[in-house]
Structures are given as structure tokens and as C-alpha cells.
């Protein structure tokens, strides 16, 4: 890193670089969680999907807060630094991988939901069809009690 930059708002290049590293780490954690959840997707139920979605929202909120710090720091610097630019490029690549995995996982979950919805519809249709086969006297008791 070069220290020959002019800094604004008392922000140092080293501080911004550390914040970018923190951002990269946060996105790598999100990526690892997405990959792990994706591998176990066939073994989870709707409650686990909801819990993971909430966990993912929290992680994304943390990433957004760190990203805001990165943006403030980069904007406060009045210089170009090759090391910082390389770190920002690494961050962009990790963010793109997170977006791709998130999209794939979302598509898989939507597919699962569609299959479950179809199964529920078929089940309801089957129950309605079966109710047509019930006899008129059902629920009134047995033949012996109806004679007396």
C-alpha cells in the first residue's frame, strides 16, 4: 500500500483496506452458508428454510453496514491505490459469486415449493373425490343401531 495519498476526514488508507477485508470476509461467510445450505436442501423442511432466510437477511444487513463504511472510506480518500483497487475487485468477485449462489438457491427453493403446492392440490382433489364415495348413512351409526 502506498501512503502518498491525501486523506480526507481523517481516514487512512490502511483503515479503508481493513474495512474492505472485513467486507470480503463477510461475503465469504455468506457464500459458505449458501453453499452449505444448498448441499443440504433436500433434507430440510419449510421451518428450516424460514430460519435460514432470516439468518441470511441478518448476514446481508451486516454486509450492507460494512459496505456503507467501505463506501464512506473510499469516497473520503483522494487517491488511487493499486492495492486497494485490487481488494475492491476481489470483493466484487466474491459479491458476484454470492449473487449467483443466492439466485440458484432461490430457484431450487421455488421449484421445491411448486412441487409441494402441486402435491397439496392433488391431495385436496383426492380427498374431495373420496368424499363422494361415502355412503348416505355414514355417521348415523351401524346397521344394528339404525334398526332399533
Amino acid at each position: 500500500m502506498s501512503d502518498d495519498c491525501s486523506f480526507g476526514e481523517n481516514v487512512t488508507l490502511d483503515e479503508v483496506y481493513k474495512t474492505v477485508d472485513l467486507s470480503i470476509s463477510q461475503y465469504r461467510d455468506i457464500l459458505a452458508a449458501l453453499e452449505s445450505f444448498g448441499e443440504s436442501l433436500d433434507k430440510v423442511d419449510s421451518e428450516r428454510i424460514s430460519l435460514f432466510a432470516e439468518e441470511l437477511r441478518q448476514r446481508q444487513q451486516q454486509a450492507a453496514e460494512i459496505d456503507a463504511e467501505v463506501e464512506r472510506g473510499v469516497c473520503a480518500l483522494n487517491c488511487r491505490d493499486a492495492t486497494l483497487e485490487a481488494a475492491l475487485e476481489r470483493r466484487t468477485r466474491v459479491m458476484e459469486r454470492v449473487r449467483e449462489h443466492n439466485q440458484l438457491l432461490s430457484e431450487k427453493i421455488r421449484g421445491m415449493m411448486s412441487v409441494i403446492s402441486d402435491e397439496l392440490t392433488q391431495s385436496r382433489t383426492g380427498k374431495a373425490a373420496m368424499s363422494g364415495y361415502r355412503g348416505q348413512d355414514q355417521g348415523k351409526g351401524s346397521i344394528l343401531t339404525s334398526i332399533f
Side-chain angles (χ1 to χ4, degrees), residues 39-57:
E39 290 171 1
S40 65
L41 192 57
D42 57 338
K43 302 172 193 153
V44 298
D45 58 8
S46 61
E47 183 178 341
R48 178 66 182 116
I49 291 171
S50 294
L51 290 172
F52 180 74
E54 180 57 33
E55 176 187 333
L56 191 59
R57 273 190 287 279

Side-chain angles (χ1 to χ4, degrees), residues 12-145:
T12 66
L13 183 59
D14 190 49
E15 289 171 335
V16 176
Y17 188 72
K18 287 178 182 176
T19 306
V20 172
D21 279 345
L22 182 60
S23 176
I24 292 169
S25 176
Q26 181 68 22
Y27 282 110
R28 284 184 178 151
D29 288 347
I30 291 171
L31 182 60
L34 287 168
E35 289 172 342
S36 175
F37 190 77
E39 290 171 1
S40 65
L41 192 57
D42 57 338
K43 302 172 193 153
V44 298
D45 58 8
S46 61
E47 183 178 341
R48 178 66 182 116
I49 291 171
S50 294
L51 290 172
F52 180 74
E54 180 57 33
E55 176 187 333
L56 191 59
R57 273 190 287 279
Q58 290 174 359
R59 288 175 186 243
Q60 289 172 331
Q61 178 61 37
Q62 291 170 341
E65 292 169 7
I66 296 168
D67 288 347
E69 290 181 39
V70 168
E71 187 175 335
R72 283 191 298 273
V74 169
C75 289
L77 294 176
N78 296 319
C79 69
R80 293 182 58 95
D81 181 78
T83 305
L84 179 59
E85 288 178 11
L88 290 170
E89 179 60 33
R90 279 195 314 276
R91 178 175 156 260
T92 300
R93 285 193 306 267
V94 174
M95 290 171 71
E96 181 62 26
R97 289 179 57 206
V98 166
R99 187 194 64 75
E100 290 169 359
H101 273 75
N102 195 26
Q103 184 175 354
L104 288 171
L105 193 56
S106 294
E107 290 171 4
K108 285 181 182 179
I109 290 172
R110 276 193 293 276
M112 288 173 60
M113 290 171 55
S114 177
V115 168
I116 291 170
S117 176
D118 288 345
E119 289 174 354
L120 284 173
T121 300
Q122 288 176 357
S123 174
R124 287 184 190 123
T125 303
K127 284 182 182 178
M130 289 302 291
S131 67
Y133 290 106
R134 291 192 180 125
Q136 295 287 349
D137 294 331
Q138 186 146 0
K140 293 184 180 177
S142 68
I143 296 172
L144 292 176
T145 56

